[in-house]
Amino acid sequence: MLLTILGCSGSLPGPDAPASGYLVEADGFSLAVDFGSGVLAALQAHRDPFSLGAVLFSHLHPDHCGDFTGLTVLRRYHPDPPYDPTERKLPVHGPSESPDRFARAYAESAEELARTDLGDVFEFHALPEGTVHIGPFEVTAARVAHPCEAYGFRIATPDASLVYTGDSGPCEALHELADGVDVLLSEATWQHREDRPADLHLSGRQAGRLAADAGVGELLLTHVAPWTDPEVVLAEAREQFTGPVELARRGKSYRIG
Ligand SMILES: [Zn+2]
Ligand SMILES: [Zn+2]
């Protein structure tokens, strides 16, 4: 399994990276996980965007899905696509509101909204809690602690496993998902303070604690907000987790398993 960081800036794009977006690949299949602002540009630097096998959304905050409208333009209006996108629709797995929210974000008028639901080039699947198969991946989705329909994922092949927290405060679901995983890609939006809201995000300390309690192989910290010092977040995580920890970096790839 190969994980490539397309974007890792928390809550909004930052000076060094797009907002959240990751490419997870195995057996020639490319799964985009989240597609925040700036991610389509980063994807084009790595892969032909028509080569995506599916898109998976943790939740529908703009920093996780803002570039989806660009993907719609690409698939509808590219003058010379490598295949017919209306014949080979791109599977999109996400929260139940995804088709409606994306259509509203794309349509420029009520008339256009009434004419199309983006189903001409995408095939939407509402995420169930539990396991779905996407290409070569077994994807287990669990609701996490964030103020909307939000999921964390365990993405596994027979010989590799990755857990992505999405956006979440500390919760039992993350501990269950992350149990013994090879790589934990954990959000660490902010420095630890006792007065942070409970059901929103993790601090570096909480991400490190999660990694330690779940016995993960390696911790990658992501979704650090542009106004947060990443070195402080990294130091917090390292105080809790003695295994390998690093800050996810735009453009870097990690081989898992
Ligand atoms: Zn976010
Ligand atoms: Zn969010």
Side-chain angles (χ1 to χ4, degrees), residues 164-236:
Y164 170 49
T165 60
D167 282 6
S168 178
C171 63
E172 186 53 37
L174 286 181
H175 282 80
E176 288 174 15
L177 275 183
D179 186 30
V181 76
D182 293 334
V183 172
L184 172 61
L185 176 64
S186 177
E187 75 123 288
T189 303
W190 50 38
Q191 291 175 232
H192 194 76
R193 274 201 341 228
E194 291 302 328
D195 62 349
R196 298 287 191 199
D199 295 337
L200 199 55
H201 291 299
L202 299 175
S203 64
R205 181 162 136 187
Q206 289 164 332
R209 195 68 253 152
L210 171 64
D213 290 347
V216 311
E218 184 176 348
L219 173 61
L220 278 179
L221 299 171
T222 191
H223 202 275
V224 180
W227 48 74
T228 298
D229 183 343
E231 295 302 326
V232 173
V233 165
L234 180 62
E236 284 186 1

Side-chain angles (χ1 to χ4, degrees), residues 10-256:
S11 301
L12 70 164
D16 301 320
S20 295
Y22 310 93
L23 202 56
V24 184
E25 296 174 289
D27 298 343
F29 187 93
S30 295
L31 173 65
V33 181
D34 284 347
F35 216 80
S37 322
V39 167
L40 183 53
L43 174 63
Q44 290 175 83
H46 284 275
R47 297 281 183 277
D48 176 353
F50 280 102
S51 69
L52 283 183
V55 183
L56 175 65
F57 284 106
S58 65
H59 67 300
L60 300 180
H61 282 159
D63 60 312
H64 296 257
C65 66
D67 264 15
F68 190 74
T69 51
L71 203 54
T72 306
V73 173
L74 181 93
R75 295 183 65 81
R76 275 189 173 167
Y77 300 114
H78 193 294
D80 188 24
Y83 55 85
D84 182 349
T86 64
E87 293 286 326
R88 232 170 91 185
K89 299 179 184 184
L90 182 65
V92 177
H93 302 259
S96 53
E97 287 184 350
S98 300
D100 185 51
R101 291 276 300 278
F102 289 137
R104 286 172 187 277
Y106 183 80
E108 59 187 29
S109 64
E111 291 73 33
E112 186 178 357
L113 187 60
R115 266 202 314 273
T116 178
D117 59 2
L118 310 189
D120 54 333
V121 289
F122 298 110
E123 179 186 282
F124 289 98
H125 302 269
L127 277 172
E129 281 201 272
T131 299
V132 291
H133 290 270
I134 305 176
F137 303 112
E138 190 180 88
V139 177
T140 303
R143 286 289 291 265
V144 292
H146 202 56
C148 60
E149 185 185 345
Y151 297 88
F153 301 118
R154 186 180 182 110
I155 301 172
T157 62
D159 54 11
S161 56
L162 165 71
V163 163
Y164 170 49
T165 60
D167 282 6
S168 178
C171 63
E172 186 53 37
L174 286 181
H175 282 80
E176 288 174 15
L177 275 183
D179 186 30
V181 76
D182 293 334
V183 172
L184 172 61
L185 176 64
S186 177
E187 75 123 288
T189 303
W190 50 38
Q191 291 175 232
H192 194 76
R193 274 201 341 228
E194 291 302 328
D195 62 349
R196 298 287 191 199
D199 295 337
L200 199 55
H201 291 299
L202 299 175
S203 64
R205 181 162 136 187
Q206 289 164 332
R209 195 68 253 152
L210 171 64
D213 290 347
V216 311
E218 184 176 348
L219 173 61
L220 278 179
L221 299 171
T222 191
H223 202 275
V224 180
W227 48 74
T228 298
D229 183 343
E231 295 302 326
V232 173
V233 165
L234 180 62
E236 284 186 1
R238 283 185 169 151
E239 273 178 21
Q240 302 294 320
F241 178 62
T242 55
V245 188
E246 65 179 278
L247 293 162
R249 277 197 293 117
R250 169 200 189 155
K252 188 165 176 187
S253 292
Y254 302 83
R255 197 159 290 284
I256 303 172

